[in-house]
Amino acid sequence: MKKKLLPLALAAAAGFTGVTAQAQTMVQNHDGTGQLLMYPIYTANGGNDTYISVANTTADYKAVKVRFVDAMNSQDSLDFHLYLSPQDHWSGVVTKEGDGAVLKTGDTSCTVPNILAASAVGQLGTTAPMRTFKYGTGGAEADAINNGLDRTLEGHVEIIEMGVVPAASASNGVAQLAPGSGSATAGAAGDSALVLRSSIKHVNGVPGNCANLETAWRTGGAFFYTDQENTPGDAKAATHLQLDAPTGGLYGYGVIINVPDGTAAMFDAVAVDGFMDDGYHPTPGDDEPGVDDGVDNATVYIGDSTATNAATYQDFDGAAAAVLAANGVGTTPVAVTGLEHVDPQRGKTGSRFAGGGNSTVTATTAGNDQEGSLQALSALLTRATVANDYVLEPGLNAATDWVITFPTKRDFVNLSAAAVAANPFGGAGATAGAATDAPAPFTSQWDHSKTEACEQIAISYWDREEGVNVITSGFDFSPAPVTTPDVLALCTESNILNFNSKGVLGGSSRITKSITLANGFNNGWARVSFGVPGAGGTVTAPELSDGSEIVKGLPVIGFAIQKYVNNSATSAGALANYAGSIGHHFTNTNDN
């Protein structure tokens, strides 16, 4: 690939000085820590429970958004604010109760709402049921089918660091947690920060006073400020305790436990560092921040992690704004000072891409962005192919599931009717494309009547002795997509792919696809290629560009999970069931 990167290093080597620093870029941290953590799946289907954990490896007091979204369209099922003290750890479990999923935790770390946190070590907090308010009947993004509580039983998880609760400082200018709270003498600068830090800090396993976090969010409180989300009139008030910029250092993992089978499989969360360069602390109870609220630059490593193979995808918003403005969508970014954050509401579609939300002005501070961030994060995660093993050994009653999740897909495919009619991707007024097209790299919009947005794939698989087979049509793929029955496609945000209908996770038919392998292919490896299959085994991959660099494929995360049954374990009490996970292996390509 062409090298257009590392201008600062080259300038320094040449002896130049006074070089302006580049804007912050997000990177995928393969050491496993970051500001943004993405967990490819949670499931409470098939007798499974999923334990989600996050650890703060730093000495900072962190405000973190924890969000559980459904597997079909990444609609918000449950989220809350979590406040982690230095070196703190939080975990919770998603399990089934009745027809839907619930979240439980025995962790005492402070949350808002505070009822979720356990009040003492060894106890459970209040059970929090997952919700269908977004996609259920009468919801803002109601789907015609697949809209019941059972949809909450599987999904994926986002954990986003919103910022650091600052140390006491005169610059904070916040005297009280809330009017009349008696937490400080009027005018005692920075007292709220001290009180909040001591409230978050654990002593003998229990935080100082989690109720103070809710107090700070009440009208007039240290965290409260008027009109938090809706308009550019959201100036920082003197009484608003602002978060310092995120510092990263979070890591996370999940454990899928099946008690009846006696199995457990673990997986790591994907970590992105440098995601935001300013604090963003929206009101608890709304759906912010999201994966579209970071910076608009990403550094992508092509092939390996050496600097010589790095490409910087940058200033996405500049190009996006021009395209959108030319198509009558008023989302041109403007510079506004004195704002902690201004993000237009997502509106009924839940997307701020191409007019999907109520966006007339996009104002940002210190680089946190929307459309540009969504594209930058997508470029960071884009892969042309996914490869992994499959094991179906009959003597072990073996089974394999692949989890393939597109964590940024929702905001690309959920477009309002107005946006469809006047956007550059399709519909009336568009120069090219069909009314059902979606912004690159995705190709089709979410269909609320069929609950799908399908992306074509091709699959090749090998046995362990180099035997190979290729699937490019849907006849070997069951069930086939409703809209394109002769096309192999993945149609939801989180997808489970199994082989010969032998699954591990008990995935619902809504998100599970099964490949029928040729006789004799019991064990081996397979590869999924994203794009439209062509002659001679070629695949034309979707592309995402910042106007210079082009990355090919789709933004994807995931892993494989295998299960075995040892029928030879006949001694009394011998364990016979085993499970384990294997991270996916990817290829990524780009042009410029």
Side-chain angles (χ1 to χ4, degrees), residues 176-262:
Q176 295 178 301
L177 287 175
S181 68
S183 62
T185 303
D191 181 79
S192 291
L194 282 173
V195 171
L196 288 169
R197 282 187 168 218
S198 64
S199 299
I200 297 168
K201 179 66 177 175
H202 287 64
V203 178
N204 297 323
V206 180
N209 189 346
C210 289
N212 281 337
L213 276 300
E214 287 195 344
T215 299
W217 277 109
R218 295 194 180 108
T219 302
F223 287 149
F224 177 84
Y225 51 109
T226 59
D227 206 11
Q228 293 92 341
E229 284 289 303
N230 300 332
T231 73
D234 184 17
K236 290 179 178 178
T239 56
H240 181 193
L241 180 63
Q242 304 153 25
L243 295 184
D244 290 339
T247 59
L250 299 175
Y251 77 79
Y253 64 94
V255 185
I256 300 173
I257 295 178
N258 191 303
V259 174
D261 282 354

Side-chain angles (χ1 to χ4, degrees), residues 90-162:
W90 179 89
S91 63
V93 58
V94 180
T95 188
K96 182 178 180 180
E97 285 192 2
D99 293 330
V102 300
L103 177 66
K104 298 182 178 183
T105 181
D107 200 290
T108 62
S109 297
C110 295
T111 62
V112 177
N114 188 38
I115 59 172
L116 181 63
S119 59
V121 176
Q123 297 183 4
L124 288 176
T126 300
T127 297
M130 302 283 185
R131 303 175 174 191
T132 63
F133 297 157
K134 289 282 190 178
Y135 56 80
T137 302
E141 300 179 56
D143 288 326
I145 58 175
N146 295 321
N147 55 14
L149 272 174
D150 58 339
R151 182 163 156 180
T152 67
L153 292 171
E154 50 202 2
H156 57 103
V157 185
E158 306 162 356
I159 291 184
I160 304 172
E161 181 184 356
M162 298 181 286

Side-chain angles (χ1 to χ4, degrees), residues 27 41 117 119 125 151 170 186 201 275-276 364 375 395 450 543 555:
V27 295
I41 199 166
S119 59
R151 182 163 156 180
K201 179 66 177 175
F275 180 68
M276 295 199 298
T364 63
Q375 291 169 306
K450 297 174 181 175
E543 298 180 349

Side-chain angles (χ1 to χ4, degrees), residues 24 74 144 175 180 272 275 286 360 410 426 436 476 478 481 498 503 558:
Q24 177 169 313
S74 292
V272 174
F275 180 68
D286 67 19
T360 55
R410 170 180 172 269
T436 56
D476 292 319
S478 175
N498 67 37

